[in-house]
Amino acid sequence: MREFAKRVFGFSLFVSIIFLILGIFLVFRTEGTINLISSIIGVLLLANGGITLINYFRNQEHSYPIELIYGILVVIAGFVLILNPIAIVSVLPFVLGVYFIISGAMKLKYVLDIKNNKASMPIYSLIISILMIVCGVLFVVNPFSGAIAITQAIGIFLMVYSILDIINYFCIRKDIKMLEDLFK
């Protein structure tokens, strides 16, 4: 049991340290980390698309045209990510921005309807609705700054998770040793 637990928790410690390092890079070297991750994904897509195309042309009589289309699209996506690494992070903030605008506008409408019907309306509902719309507009107008903010938030969460997991590793390691001594 002890060897198994040591391996499991040792691997968990290793992963937490990697996540901590990644989190630090995401927070403090956001743009460089985004470029690196996008380039790695681009290379993987390029390889996947290339292999798909090679397999398609080797076995053309047994292949489907969709495989050719898939291979071409994946190769193009790979090249786009390698040549323009910011492309991957520009899409997410734009989509979130549109969502925030629509959601904020709907909530603002409800808040104003409540106010027009002379019902009591908490002021924070109005403020939150307006802030949602403003954030959405900022994400749509400048998606890269939104991507940086999202990436840094992910980095912070990774760092917090990693630190907690590392602390947990040392606590559990002590408890496993104590349990093992009890069962001897």
Side-chain angles (χ1 to χ4, degrees):
M1 175 177 148
R2 182 178 179 146
E3 287 304 313
F4 176 74
K6 281 171 92 173
R7 280 193 309 245
V8 168
F9 288 108
F11 182 73
S12 177
L13 177 64
F14 172 75
V15 169
S16 292
I17 291 169
I18 297 296
F19 279 172
L20 180 62
I21 293 167
L22 179 60
I24 290 169
F25 276 101
L26 286 173
V27 170
F28 297 108
R29 307 286 265 167
T30 308
E31 192 172 333
T33 305
I34 290 171
N35 288 339
L36 177 65
I37 292 171
S38 292
S39 296
I40 290 170
I41 292 171
V43 167
L44 293 173
L45 288 174
L46 203 56
N48 183 340
I51 291 169
T52 301
L53 289 173
I54 290 169
N55 287 337
Y56 173 80
F57 287 113
R58 277 191 182 161
N59 302 315
Q60 211 165 3
E61 66 268 0
H62 300 294
S63 297
Y64 297 102
I66 193 72
E67 293 174 56
L68 175 64
I69 295 167
Y70 171 80
I72 292 170
L73 290 176
V74 171
V75 165
I76 291 171
F79 275 123
V80 167
L81 288 178
I82 291 169
L83 299 175
N84 184 13
I86 304 307
I88 193 170
V89 294
S90 295
V91 174
L92 179 62
F94 181 82
V95 171
L96 283 175
V98 170
Y99 172 77
F100 288 171
I101 292 169
I102 292 169
S103 178
M106 286 176 26
K107 288 180 174 95
L108 182 61
K109 182 193 177 311
Y110 297 141
V111 166
L112 294 175
D113 284 346
I114 290 170
K115 185 178 183 231
N116 288 339
N117 288 322
K118 311 279 191 271
S120 109
M121 176 205 59
I123 190 71
Y124 63 84
S125 295
L126 177 67
I127 293 170
I128 290 171
S129 298
I130 292 170
L131 284 175
M132 284 179 69
I133 294 169
V134 169
C135 286
V137 169
L138 289 175
F139 273 22
V140 168
V141 170
N142 191 357
F144 186 68
S145 65
I148 289 175
I150 290 170
T151 304
Q152 288 176 331
I154 291 170
I156 290 168
F157 288 128
L158 279 174
M159 288 174 17
V160 169
Y161 164 81
S162 298
I163 290 168
L164 293 174
D165 200 40
I166 290 168
I167 291 168
N168 191 38
Y169 166 80
F170 288 107
C171 292
I172 289 176
R173 191 176 84 171
K174 184 178 70 173
D175 292 339
I176 287 175
K177 201 177 231 183
M178 185 180 63
L179 280 174
E180 194 172 76
D181 291 341
L182 285 174
F183 288 112
K184 282 186 177 181

